[in-house]
Amino acid sequence: MTGQDLLSNRVNAIDVSGIRKAFQLGAKLENPINLSIGQPDFAVPEPVKQAAIDAIRNDRNGYTLTSGDPELLSSIRTHIQRDVGWDMQSGELDAIVTSGTSGALLLSFMALLDPGDEAVIADPYFVVYTALGPMTNATIRLCDTYPDFRMTAERVEPLLTDRTKIVLVNSPANPTGIVLTDDELRELAELCRSRGIMLISDEIYDLFTWPEHLDASGHCPSPARHSDDMLLIRGFGKTYGCTGWRLGYAAGPSWLISEMAKLQQYSFVCAPSMAQAAASAALHTDMQPIVDRYHARSQMVMDSLSPLTDLPEPGGAFYAFVRVPPQLDCSAAAFCEEAIRRNVIIIPGNVFSRHDTHFRLSMAADEESLARGLEVIADMMR
Ligand code: PMP
């Protein structure tokens, strides 16, 4: 057997060529305007940094409990109770600290899916979602959400089969920035509950929700305000600018959280200890000035590109998913290659979708770079 023959079907089924190509093209540029970055461009708040440093100095460097540092878990429980109203004291619900939001996603899919089982995700999707299929030998069914990118119950329902175990919703969404309404999320929760399907809500961008898209209670809309029979996944990386610390959490039915903890025990073991120590401090940090700044950037994108093309208004996250004007008669891949030739890095839609009609533009770039990049893109569109 050659080395290639030894590899599993699992890895052969995962294709990273799209993203790799975009990065390889970008790497050749000397001083590019980079609008492809999927992580925030602000520094971790000083008190949060200090809490991590203190944790290391105070010898909090060993394993934590598998399900998380008790102090952090307690802060998370309180936070969830306040934010979505779940009764975290009842014993029916529990939480687990994970190695990034990605860790929570993988553990939940592993805990729920057998070979041949199905999970429904939106198209366009966050790239990890499709890879979770081969990783768990499950089938991923794509819910086409073009042209408005809303994963509604009406669009999901025809995709459900007797093998469907998971519907995974992501709002605010990567790569589109779309925020679903409270009603849309309630309907999804009701559909899943009525069919005995686990709704998983990836709310990693919850902090980045623009004011006009908040729900009546002033929060990022969440199905968790309508059901506790679901899994809520959130993260610290994007919210506090510490993506490399690998920290997220999941909350939901205790029967599921305990199985995720079992899998975590034998895989990730626990989330990084110093990051967990710092996260309690993070939960008390006011990030509103940063959110306002990202919101203003999102408005810059709308002002610049919406007169030129079809651009469903982002309600949050820090992305826009922009249609290459059809009259240009070119694929998004070709459009993005031309943008890269003009020193602007954006990612073609086919990396996140079966379609190749749009590109993802990230607002995690300073205002001056963003303005220059938008000018180049607008010029190409004209
Ligand atoms: N979900 C979505 C929608 C994301 O965009 C990302 C990161 N790009 C993740 C999950 C993974 O985040 P983490 O770094 O916390 O694993």
Side-chain angles (χ1 to χ4, degrees), residues 38-39 98-105 125-129 170-175 202-205 233-238 242-244 246-248 318-319 360:
Q39 62 181 338
T98 53
S99 287
T101 310
S102 309
L105 286 165
Y125 44 79
F126 167 47
V127 285
V128 164
Y129 292 175
N170 171 223
S171 168
N174 178 9
D202 176 351
E203 302 182 5
I204 186 169
Y205 297 103
I233 297 182
R234 289 187 178 171
F236 291 91
K238 313 273 177 182
C242 56
T243 48
R246 310 307 308 132
L247 206 61
F318 33 77
Y319 311 107
R360 189 187 79 171

Side-chain angles (χ1 to χ4, degrees), residues 118-328:
E118 298 176 8
V120 177
I121 67 169
D123 177 352
Y125 44 79
F126 167 47
V127 285
V128 164
Y129 292 175
T130 40
L132 288 168
M135 283 194 218
T136 55
N137 288 320
T139 302
I140 302 290
R141 287 200 177 269
L142 297 180
C143 173
D144 193 311
T145 62
Y146 287 77
D148 56 11
F149 308 128
R150 310 194 79 82
M151 188 162 103
T152 56
E154 199 183 351
R155 282 176 173 159
V156 168
E157 185 166 16
L159 300 170
L160 303 180
T161 72
D162 55 7
R163 297 301 303 263
T164 313
K165 281 189 169 170
I166 293 175
V167 170
L168 172 56
V169 63
N170 171 223
S171 168
N174 178 9
T176 63
I178 290 298
V179 174
L180 297 179
T181 63
D182 188 51
D183 278 346
E184 286 169 327
L185 291 165
R186 179 180 44 73
E187 283 165 19
L188 263 186
E190 281 165 5
L191 173 65
C192 290
R193 198 160 34 184
S194 72
R195 302 286 281 265
I197 292 166
M198 182 57 62
L199 177 64
I200 302 184
S201 184
D202 176 351
E203 302 182 5
I204 186 169
Y205 297 103
D206 68 328
L207 179 82
F208 299 92
T209 307
W210 316 143
E212 57 280 20
H213 294 266
L214 296 172
D215 68 11
S217 65
H219 294 100
C220 169
S222 170
R225 288 196 195 83
H226 302 286
S227 167
D228 58 10
D229 199 5
M230 55 159 287
L231 190 73
L232 174 64
I233 297 182
R234 289 187 178 171
F236 291 91
K238 313 273 177 182
T239 312
Y240 303 104
C242 56
T243 48
W245 286 4
R246 310 307 308 132
L247 206 61
Y249 62 89
S254 302
W255 59 262
L256 175 56
I257 298 292
S258 61
E259 297 308 315
M260 288 169 64
K262 187 160 92 185
L263 294 169
Q264 174 143 281
Q265 172 105 49
Y266 287 152
S267 54
F268 299 96
V269 181
C270 66
S273 58
M274 76 296 289
Q276 291 194 59
S280 292
L283 278 172
H284 303 293
T285 310
D286 177 19
M287 302 303 289
Q288 198 54 44
I290 302 271
V291 178
D292 293 343
R293 198 160 161 196
Y294 274 70
H295 181 206
R297 290 178 189 174
S298 180
Q299 283 167 331
M300 280 172 69
V301 174
M302 281 308 288
D303 292 348
S304 162
L305 301 185
S306 67
L308 299 170
T309 187
D310 178 21
L311 174 49
E313 188 176 354
F318 33 77
Y319 311 107
F321 206 56
V322 188
R323 171 117 168 124
V324 175
Q327 65 274 19
L328 295 185

